[in-house]
Amino acid sequence: MRIVVALGGNALSRRGEPMTADLLRANVRSACHSLATLAREHELVVTHGNGPQVGLLALQNLTYQEVAAYPLDILGAETQGMIGYVVQQELSNILRGERKIANLLTTTVVDDHDPAFEHPTKFIGPQYSAEDVAEVAADYRWTIGKDGNYFRRVVPSPQPIRIIQADAIRLLLDNGYLVVCVGGGGVPVKADSQAGRQSGVQAVIDKDLASAALAEEISADTLVILTDADFVSQDWGTPQQRDILTASVDEIEQLPFAEGSMKPKVDAAIRVAKAGGRALIGPLDRLDELLARKIGTEIRADVPDGIVYA
């Protein structure tokens, strides 16, 4: 079976932890142990987020003022190399040479007229308290959004249209490679097909939506979106909250979900289900139970009852 697994950026840099290289490696190692069985038994693509990491690089950028700060597309490419290197190495160490692994720098085509550029929703970088947020916003001229009980920088997150390296990824899979790619949703670019030119765009693409675009292009059977939630929940955070075990596309499309949080995951799952695959959304640390359908949410086209609650 051909499976795309999307690792959340917060799974690689957990909430409240300092974003050190040692903790990044420890978190990646833990995630890779969870992926080992899948890697041995299936054609596997591993994608990953970069929200915390690209925000950290942007902050570090600002401390050296002798040159202009690097733009978000280049910082996105940096995080692909940084995180992809660690994922590739830790998977190689755990699998002990059982699989060939390739880490591929990936670019994702977006529309530079996407309305997302007028309405930033993608969280990046560290969290700030209510006491600090006004000073940070003023100092850096950032747009700030509320993320749970804290605040974070938000940037545009346009819809991914296609993954430029999809053919190369398919070729690698066909030749037995495990592929690490679409880091941070891929570097956002606009492409002029007539002129044969590409140029970077100042944004960070949602990695779940980009992973869905890739899954569709390489005809993956399953997209697995790993997060820190046990289920997708209807009416989350209210007394009426109900956890969804299985849902059809038609039913779940009718439900509202939070922008910048669960909505992109659900939208990604819907895209894959409409293309004939299925999507699973659930916790990284209980991947076996997610695959066994004991936890997490499955979205596919054919659910006779529409929605089955846990």
Side-chain angles (χ1 to χ4, degrees), residues 77-300:
E78 285 189 51
T79 59
Q80 280 200 60
M82 175 178 73
I83 300 170
Y85 156 69
V86 179
V87 173
Q88 178 185 27
Q89 192 171 78
E90 292 300 328
L91 271 173
S92 295
N93 290 343
I94 290 166
L95 295 173
R96 298 181 180 275
E98 295 176 49
R99 295 292 308 274
K100 299 178 289 185
I101 302 175
N103 177 32
L104 189 64
L105 182 68
T106 316
T107 49
T108 303
V109 175
V110 301
D111 180 355
D112 58 338
H113 298 295
D114 190 303
F117 289 102
E118 302 298 324
H119 303 284
T121 59
K122 177 67 176 175
F123 292 114
I124 67 170
Q127 298 173 328
Y128 298 98
S129 68
E131 293 75 24
D132 296 333
V133 68
E135 182 179 351
V136 169
D139 285 349
Y140 301 131
R141 299 181 181 179
W142 287 347
T143 302
I144 303 290
K146 199 168 190 302
D147 183 15
N149 294 323
Y150 293 90
F151 297 84
R152 292 173 73 190
R153 181 185 179 188
V154 288
V155 298
S157 185
Q159 290 288 317
I161 297 172
R162 63 184 176 89
I163 309 301
I164 290 179
Q165 292 77 20
D167 287 345
I169 293 164
R170 190 183 299 110
L171 183 63
L172 286 165
L173 289 170
D174 289 344
N175 284 275
Y177 279 83
L178 186 161
V179 185
V180 181
C181 60
V182 191
V187 179
V189 298
K190 58 181 179 179
D192 184 337
S193 56
Q194 292 184 335
R197 291 178 56 83
Q198 300 173 21
S199 55
V201 175
Q202 298 313 294
V204 175
I205 301 170
D206 183 87
K207 69 99 180 42
D208 297 316
L209 293 173
S211 299
L214 176 66
E216 184 179 1
E217 290 186 78
I218 66 172
S219 302
D221 302 287
T222 302
L223 170 65
V224 181
I225 299 175
L226 297 176
T227 182
D228 52 5
D230 288 347
F231 293 93
V232 175
S233 299
Q234 184 176 347
D235 298 319
W236 182 83
T238 73
Q240 291 76 40
Q241 177 176 327
R242 291 192 289 177
D243 297 332
I244 299 170
L245 184 65
T246 311
S248 70
V249 169
D250 290 342
E251 290 295 327
I252 205 159
E253 276 188 315
Q254 307 305 314
L255 302 179
F257 296 99
E259 292 280 359
S261 178
M262 191 56 74
K263 182 173 171 34
K265 295 173 172 47
V266 172
D267 288 346
I270 288 170
R271 179 169 182 167
V272 169
K274 284 184 173 179
R278 67 165 184 157
L280 302 174
I281 303 173
L284 169 64
D285 59 353
R286 299 175 69 180
L287 178 58
D288 291 345
E289 294 176 71
L290 174 62
L291 295 170
R293 302 307 306 116
K294 296 177 180 178
I295 198 171
T297 300
E298 179 181 15
I299 298 173
R300 63 177 197 267

Side-chain angles (χ1 to χ4, degrees), residues 26-100:
N27 291 333
V28 167
R29 184 180 301 123
S30 176
C32 289
H33 275 291
S34 298
L35 296 176
T37 300
L38 272 183
R40 292 186 176 102
E41 297 177 358
H42 300 282
E43 290 185 344
L44 185 62
V45 175
V46 178
T47 68
H48 59 83
N50 72 340
Q53 294 80 15
V54 76
L56 175 63
L57 287 182
L59 271 174
Q60 291 173 334
N61 237 349
L62 294 172
T63 63
Y64 183 71
Q65 299 181 352
E66 298 300 316
V67 297
Y70 277 30
L72 278 175
D73 58 323
I74 291 180
L75 297 181
E78 285 189 51
T79 59
Q80 280 200 60
M82 175 178 73
I83 300 170
Y85 156 69
V86 179
V87 173
Q88 178 185 27
Q89 192 171 78
E90 292 300 328
L91 271 173
S92 295
N93 290 343
I94 290 166
L95 295 173
R96 298 181 180 275
E98 295 176 49
R99 295 292 308 274
K100 299 178 289 185

